[in-house]
Amino acid sequence: MRKFVFAVLFGLSFAAQAADVKVSEAWTRATAPGQDSAMVQAVITSKQAAELVGVSCACARTAELHSMVHEDGMMKMRQVESINLPAGEAVDLGAAGYHLMLMGLKKQIKEGKKIELTLTLRYQDGKTKRVKFHAPARALDASASKPMHDMPAGGNHDMGNMHGNMHQH
Ligand SMILES: [Cu+2]
């Protein structure tokens, strides 16, 4: 009997820890020489309800979670503390109006290369989990796979410029 209980407990804890966070469709965009920042998109699925609370990349001095909002007819980016990840739901950051922002890039991101990022998730019990993933770099002028609505034509270029301008210190 005792053996059986142990087996069940072990099974449960293993299930809780095994690949319970999936990151898919991750991508970033190749950067122009001297470009200081880049954005990363991804679809994140967490089996347990969690919050995305951070991102980091060895390729950049800092990385933040950003939202994009319309304000006075302008598109503005803002740092957000966290992004909600409902249990089992695939959260498409871009479609939800978010992106991961890399600032202070240490070197140019070349098309076809992958950058490695680490997400930090926080669960409702306060525990955190780090999840590594890779984002391949699309061509500088490639358009997003899912066009962001509310974006004017050519918005991708404008956004690139906006990032550059907003994050220069
Ligand atoms: Cu941004």
Side-chain angles (χ1 to χ4, degrees), residues 37-40 64-68 76-79 98-103 159 162-163 166-167:
S37 61
M39 58 159 245
V40 179
E64 296 176 349
L65 311 174
H66 276 191
S67 71
M68 199 121 55
K76 292 185 178 172
M77 297 195 311
R78 260 211 207 107
Q79 186 179 5
Y98 297 110
H99 57 271
L100 309 173
M101 192 83 217
L102 305 176
M103 287 168 288
M159 190 165 67
M162 184 168 73
H163 278 125
M166 284 189 64
H167 295 300

